[in-house]
């Protein structure tokens, strides 16, 4: 492999890795807050992509402009999912973990089925965007502008999330609830309200990722499934509940996937990612940055 080809692989893997991290961070945030794995996470991503597509058709604006609106819509969806489904699953008297799993899994099937009924299984894409089909040439290393933009959005989102968690009252309430759900009620913090806002925040983050992906990826009812698998691996690799771990693991996953696509046929590019995950599970079950 030439130096130029190596730089190309590294750059491509880094850009996609940052997008994977953005997809995964909401999942990690929710798990760290409530010890609940949201199996409808991929469907939230799919709905964000459809929302972007629909808003582009209605408003004739570019996805870059519509991104805050998509994130706001997903925030409402995430909070509603907690209030309408997860809140009741958490009240189960027996097998609470299994109830939560099947509740979010059922929500995923419902959302995917509704999308297939309403939008049909046809593949769709957002056309004539500002960034679509454009590349940046850096001395023979070609970087697609949609992935560059997605990487910048990811870094900005992680920076904003860090400031939110460390500099605001809501962030401190979120962190306190993560540490001890029972104790926060003693100081007047409404646990259900924090959980609802946490789910909304996690969904808003995946909404940003969906708006980015809609620029360069086909939209269909099953699109969330493949990205959800990558998100679960990213969260588990970085450590469940670790926001910083999601960022680091997303970059690792992107780089491993890019190098695997060079060594093996592109259709098998995920093999290296899952092999790495299995190795980490055996050596460090809590993930690279997680705690048991």
């Amino acid at each position: 492999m030439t130096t130029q080809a190596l730089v190309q692989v590294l750059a491509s893997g880094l850009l996609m890795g940052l997008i994977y991290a953005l997809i995964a961070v909401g999942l990690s945030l929710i798990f760290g807050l409530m010890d609940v794995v949201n199996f409808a996470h991929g469907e939230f991503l799919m709905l964000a992509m459809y929302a972007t597509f629909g808003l582009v058709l209605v408003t004739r604006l570019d996805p870059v402009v519509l991104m805050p609106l998509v994130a706001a819509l997903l925030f409402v969806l995430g909070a509603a999912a907690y209030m309408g489904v997860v809140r009741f699953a958490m009240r189960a008297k027996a097998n609470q973990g299994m109830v939560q799993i099947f509740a979010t899994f059922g929500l995923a099937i419902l959302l995917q089925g509704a999308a297939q009924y309403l939008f049909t299984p046809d593949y769709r894409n957002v056309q004539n965007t500002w960034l679509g089909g454009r590349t940046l040439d850096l001395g023979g290393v070609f970087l697609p502008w949609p992935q560059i933009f997605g990487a910048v959005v990811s870094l900005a989102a992680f920076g904003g999330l860090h400031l939110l968690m460390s500099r605001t009252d809501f962030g401190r309430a979120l962190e306190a609830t993560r540490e001890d759900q029972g104790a926060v009620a003693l100081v007047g913090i409404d646990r259900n309200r924090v959980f609802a806002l946490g789910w909304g925040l996690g969904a808003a983050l995946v909404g940003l990722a969906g708006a980015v992906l809609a620029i360069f990826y086909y939209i269909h009812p099953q699109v969330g499934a493949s990205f959800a698998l990558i998100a679960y691996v990213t969260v588990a690799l970085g450590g469940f509940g670790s926001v910083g771990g999601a960022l680091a693991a997303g970059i690792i996953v992107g780089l491993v996937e890019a190098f695997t696509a060079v060594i093996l046929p592109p259709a098998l590019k995920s093999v290296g990612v899952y092999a790495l995950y299995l190795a980490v599970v055996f050596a460090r079950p809590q993930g690279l940055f997680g705690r048991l």
Side-chain angles (χ1 to χ4, degrees):
M1 181 182 292
T2 64
T3 302
Q4 187 177 31
L6 177 62
V7 173
Q8 179 72 65
V9 172
L10 285 171
S12 299
L14 177 62
L15 294 181
M16 280 308 301
L18 286 168
I19 295 175
Y20 289 153
L22 181 60
I23 296 171
V25 66
L27 187 66
S28 185
L29 180 70
I30 291 171
F31 183 88
L33 179 64
M34 300 172 55
D35 287 339
V36 172
V37 178
N38 178 18
F39 283 93
H41 192 73
E43 281 59 42
F44 284 7
L45 177 71
M46 174 266 294
L47 290 178
M49 295 176 73
Y50 270 113
T52 305
F53 178 78
L55 287 170
V56 168
L57 291 180
V58 171
T59 65
R60 302 297 179 183
L61 296 174
D62 194 84
V64 173
V65 178
L66 294 169
M67 193 170 295
L69 179 56
V70 174
L73 290 173
L74 265 291
F75 181 93
V76 173
L77 175 64
Y82 171 76
M83 296 300 293
V85 177
V86 180
R87 177 165 60 108
F88 298 102
M90 293 179 65
R91 296 177 181 176
K93 300 299 182 182
N95 297 321
Q96 188 181 92
M98 294 301 296
V99 172
Q100 292 166 4
I101 288 172
F102 283 111
T104 58
F105 187 70
L107 178 61
I109 294 174
L110 174 64
L111 293 176
Q112 190 176 127
Q116 189 156 336
Y117 176 77
L118 293 172
F119 308 127
T120 75
D122 295 341
Y123 282 54
R124 305 171 189 273
N125 68 303
V126 180
Q127 299 180 347
N128 302 320
T129 62
W130 294 343
L131 302 175
R134 300 178 185 274
T135 58
L136 175 64
D137 182 0
L138 295 176
V141 176
F142 297 94
L143 305 178
W145 272 110
Q147 280 90 326
I148 294 174
F149 176 72
V152 172
V153 170
S154 178
L155 291 173
F158 273 94
L161 186 59
H162 172 72
L163 292 176
L164 178 70
M165 298 288 287
S166 61
R167 302 288 180 87
T168 67
D169 291 338
F170 169 67
R172 285 186 281 270
L174 200 66
E175 191 63 34
T177 308
R178 282 162 57 110
E179 292 294 330
D180 193 330
Q181 297 180 16
V184 293
L186 300 177
V187 294
I189 295 176
D190 185 344
R191 188 180 69 168
N192 274 322
R193 182 170 179 270
V194 172
F195 284 166
L197 293 174
W199 268 74
L201 179 59
L205 290 166
V206 82
L208 290 176
V212 169
L213 287 174
I215 298 174
F216 64 94
Y217 207 88
Y218 284 107
I219 306 167
H220 55 95
Q222 288 78 37
V223 68
S226 57
F227 286 106
L229 285 174
I230 293 293
Y232 297 141
V233 169
T234 300
V235 171
L237 184 64
F240 280 100
S242 173
V243 172
L247 176 59
I251 294 173
I252 292 171
V253 166
L255 292 172
V256 170
E257 183 182 76
F259 277 102
T260 304
V262 173
I263 299 170
L264 300 176
L268 300 176
K269 64 181 182 180
S270 295
V271 169
V273 174
Y274 296 122
L276 172 64
Y277 169 64
L278 288 175
V280 171
V281 164
F282 286 121
R284 188 176 171 80
Q286 68 269 41
L288 297 176
F289 302 94
R291 295 175 294 177
L292 285 176

